[in-house]
């Protein structure tokens, strides 16, 4: 692979630099650069001009929250969220769903609930909303802000937490059942500094979920460096530490007090340095769109002009390289037509959790850092969820090829569909 990687890097570095955030993120490193979007601003042409030009991912700022989507129990309201999804998808922008389960912005009827009534109402909400948007949402913030600030490392007290400590994993399982192809994220703020108790507590939860087969695919670091929070120098360590658990990481709500170019550049470079950091979303377009407009924390001023931080981010993105092919060794010097080295590696199956209707499998690859593994599934069993690799299927849908994307372990959930005994077979493991 070394030669191909070297060639690809030479092509990208000599290609013309992209001139917008989304294009540079996508073309240089296969990432996205997105923004929070408010439905009420879609009629503002100064706003949509920047949105459509610069960004290739959107997160509805408030329109998918519980109070917006289920204002009365059992009565769902999707108009504003649908408008944003439609605006985004018709322009090939990916959508992050925000958020299915949260202690805040609950409608009045939910605030007054407790116990199993609340648990069931929450699970029904997750199921209904994820089903409504099934297939349209790339990543869901399934659960938002469930940990306490400060040094306790405890869960945040809330009516949802008081339904039982397993409410988070219950929400993830409900989301997985409703929208099996979406990537499911846990999202929080103040989990940027690796030394913070809150960061460590979220890390341990994700580690626990991964070890028990709870369907979590990603962690969202909101990264609001506003109010009293600052960009921490160990931010890259935090990103790479979460990634090492086999989950993707996303910077989901970035804003920085007074928008210093250095901090914006550092955040961008930290994401680019971690293969599993899939992209950056800023929490609004212009300073005047920000929830903290008094801090002028965004990349465009109130008149829609690019600020210095914009130029810093764009330049950093244009220096990015494709994360699936990190260049860790110099390209080989020999005959440039020599094919990339390829050879065998070893793929080992570890059975995971088994439920009544489905089971998890993880596969660990040794002997190569980049590889492709072919796995056969016995019909009528079918893979419903995947993580930590790039998956493709043959026309039968029963043979999948998994390419490495930064982790040496990948996993998947298989629906039994009536055959509870068959298990996946490794057909081959090829290095390179
Ligand atoms: O930006 C959002 C603002 O318009 C809302 O009034 C506020 C209400 O809670 O939520 C803001 O977005 C929050 C996001 O949903 C979760 N992380 C913190 C964000 C800033 O408060």
């Amino acid at each position: 692979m070394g030669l191909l990687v070297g060639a690809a890097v030479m092509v990208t570095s000599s290609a013309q630099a992209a001139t917008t955030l989304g294009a540079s993120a996508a073309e240089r490193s296969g990432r996205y650069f997105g923004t929070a979007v408010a439905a009420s601003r879609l009629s503002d042409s100064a706003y949509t001009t920047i949105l459509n030009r610069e960004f290739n991912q959107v997160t509805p700022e408030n329109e998918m929250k519980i109070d917006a989507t289920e204002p009365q129990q059992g009565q769902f309201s999707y108009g504003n969220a649908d408008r944003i999804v439609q605006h985004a998808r018709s322009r090939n922008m990916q959508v992050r769903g925000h958020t299915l389960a949260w202690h805040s912005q609950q409608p009045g009827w939910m605030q007054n609930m407790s116990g199993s009534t609340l648990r069931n109402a929450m699970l029904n909400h997750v199921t209904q909303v994820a089903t409504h948007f099934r297939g349209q949402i790339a990543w869901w913030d399934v659960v938002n802000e469930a940990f306490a600030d400060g040094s306790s490392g405890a869960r945040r007290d809330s009516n949802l937490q008081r339904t039982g400590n397993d409410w988070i994993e219950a929400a993830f399982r409900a989301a997985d059942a409703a929208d099996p192809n979406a990537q499911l994220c846990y999202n929080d703020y103040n989990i940027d500094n690796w030394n913070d108790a809150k960061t460590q507590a979220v890390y341990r939860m994700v580690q626990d979920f991964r070890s028990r087969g709870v369907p979590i695919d990603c962690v969202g670091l909101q990264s609001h460096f506003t109010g009293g929070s600052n960009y921490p120098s160990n931010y890259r360590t935090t990103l790479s530490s979460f990634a090492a658990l086999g989950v993707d990481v996303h910077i989901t709500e970035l804003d920085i007090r007074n928008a210093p170019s250095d901090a914006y550049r550092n955040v961008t470079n930290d994401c680019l340095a971690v293969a599993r950091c899939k992209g950056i979303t800023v929490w609004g377009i212009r300073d005047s769109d920000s929830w903290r407009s008094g801090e002028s924390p965004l990349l465009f001023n109130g008149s829609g002009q690019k600020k210095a931080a914009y130029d810093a981010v764009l330049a950093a993105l244009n220096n990015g390289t494709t994360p699936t092919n990190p260049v860790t060794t110099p390209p080989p010097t020999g005959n440039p037509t020599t094919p990339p080295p390829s050879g065998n590696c070893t793929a080992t199956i570890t059975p995971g959790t088994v439920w009544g209707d489905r089971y998890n499998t993880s596969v660990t690859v040794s002997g190569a850092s980049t590889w492709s593994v072919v796995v056969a599934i016995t019909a009528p069993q079918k893979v419903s969820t995947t993580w930590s690799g790039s998956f493709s299927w043959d026309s039968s849908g029963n043979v999948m090829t998994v390419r490495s994307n930064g982790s040496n372990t990948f996993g998947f959930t298989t629906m039994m569909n009536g055959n509870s005994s068959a298990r996946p077979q490794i057909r081959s493991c090829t290095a390179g």
Side-chain angles (χ1 to χ4, degrees):
M1 206 61 192
L3 181 66
L4 282 185
V5 168
V9 169
M10 278 167 57
V11 169
T12 43
S13 51
S14 63
Q16 214 177 359
T19 56
T20 66
L21 301 170
S24 57
E27 290 169 20
R28 288 308 169 115
S29 71
R31 291 181 171 86
Y32 65 80
F33 201 98
T35 179
V37 164
S40 60
R41 291 190 161 85
L42 290 177
S43 53
D44 172 350
S45 66
Y47 179 86
T48 54
T49 297
I50 305 173
L51 169 63
N52 299 346
R53 185 186 71 217
E54 296 289 342
F55 298 97
N56 58 359
Q57 183 273 337
V58 306
T59 305
E61 186 171 355
N62 289 297
E63 293 77 356
M64 284 186 184
K65 292 173 178 174
I66 314 175
D67 58 354
T69 49
E70 195 177 359
Q72 308 296 331
Q73 188 173 17
Q75 291 177 21
F76 292 86
S77 159
Y78 296 118
N80 283 331
D82 283 343
R83 264 188 280 288
I84 295 177
V85 170
Q86 154 70 18
H87 185 99
R89 285 174 51 80
S90 64
R91 293 169 176 80
N92 285 326
M93 302 168 178
Q94 291 180 288
V95 183
R96 176 176 205 86
H98 174 80
T99 173
L100 294 170
W102 191 21
H103 70 276
S104 183
Q105 279 180 276
Q106 292 183 357
W109 62 266
M110 188 180 267
Q111 290 175 25
N112 295 326
M113 279 184 175
S114 61
S116 59
T117 316
L118 173 60
R119 173 68 69 94
N120 290 334
M122 179 274 284
L123 293 175
N124 182 57
H125 180 85
V126 170
T127 301
Q128 296 293 328
V129 177
T131 300
H132 174 81
F133 292 106
R134 183 188 349 235
Q136 304 188 71
I137 303 296
W139 312 274
W140 268 115
D141 289 334
V142 178
V143 170
N144 196 39
E145 301 176 357
F147 279 79
D149 291 309
S151 59
S152 70
R155 294 282 184 88
R156 174 195 297 278
D157 180 50
S158 71
N159 59 349
L160 289 168
Q161 180 62 28
R162 289 191 292 269
T163 69
N165 209 48
D166 62 343
W167 74 276
I168 298 181
E169 61 194 86
F172 273 86
R173 292 193 203 284
D176 186 39
D179 189 0
N181 292 325
Q183 298 273 298
L184 305 181
C185 302
Y186 175 79
N187 191 53
D188 214 330
Y189 66 90
N190 281 354
I191 57 168
D192 313 292
N193 188 322
W194 179 239
N195 295 327
D196 283 355
K198 186 171 173 182
T199 310
Q200 292 295 315
V202 172
Y203 177 85
R204 282 193 300 274
M205 178 188 75
V206 175
Q207 187 175 42
D208 170 54
F209 281 9
R210 298 288 298 165
S211 74
R212 290 189 295 112
V214 177
I216 185 169
D217 304 296
C218 37
V219 173
L221 289 81
Q222 293 182 8
S223 304
H224 287 292
F225 300 127
T226 50
S229 300
N230 298 309
Y231 164 82
S233 59
N234 59 19
Y235 189 63
R236 191 180 295 192
T237 301
T238 307
L239 295 175
S240 60
S241 300
F242 277 113
L245 292 176
V247 290
D248 289 336
V249 289
H250 297 254
I251 298 169
T252 54
E253 305 183 12
L254 180 64
D255 48 17
I256 312 181
R257 186 176 52 260
N258 298 325
S261 297
D262 279 357
Y264 264 107
R265 181 186 302 110
N266 288 341
V267 169
T268 306
N269 283 332
D270 289 343
C271 180
L272 293 171
V274 176
R276 277 184 167 278
C277 182
K278 295 300 178 185
I280 299 174
T281 307
V282 285
W283 206 239
I285 297 179
R286 302 163 300 193
D287 287 332
S288 48
D289 302 318
S290 170
W291 70 301
R292 279 190 165 142
S293 54
E295 294 187 17
S296 304
L298 295 174
L299 299 178
F300 295 86
N301 69 17
S303 315
Q305 283 157 341
K306 298 168 182 172
K307 294 163 61 178
Y310 172 98
D311 297 325
V313 169
L314 183 67
L317 291 171
N318 273 318
N319 282 329
T321 52
T322 307
T324 50
N325 294 322
V327 184
T328 50
T329 51
T333 50
N335 178 349
T337 60
T338 307
S342 89
N344 290 333
C345 44
T346 306
T348 309
I349 284 185
T350 306
T353 308
V354 181
W355 294 273
D357 59 344
R358 65 196 193 283
Y359 60 93
N360 281 350
T361 305
S362 61
V363 178
T364 302
V365 178
S366 58
S369 55
T370 59
W371 38 262
S372 71
V373 174
V374 177
V375 185
I377 311 293
T378 305
Q381 292 191 352
K382 205 149 198 74
V383 171
S384 62
T385 307
T386 61
W387 55 90
S388 311
S390 301
F391 292 73
S392 57
W393 278 264
D394 75 346
S395 55
S396 75
N398 296 319
V399 179
M400 62 182 187
T401 300
V402 188
R403 292 187 179 284
S404 50
N405 70 357
S407 165
N408 73 332
T409 300
F410 64 87
F412 52 93
T413 304
T414 309
M415 302 305 299
M416 293 171 181
N417 295 331
N419 178 343
S420 58
S421 58
R423 288 295 181 267
Q425 306 287 323
I426 303 288
R427 289 241 175 114
S428 63
C429 185
T430 308

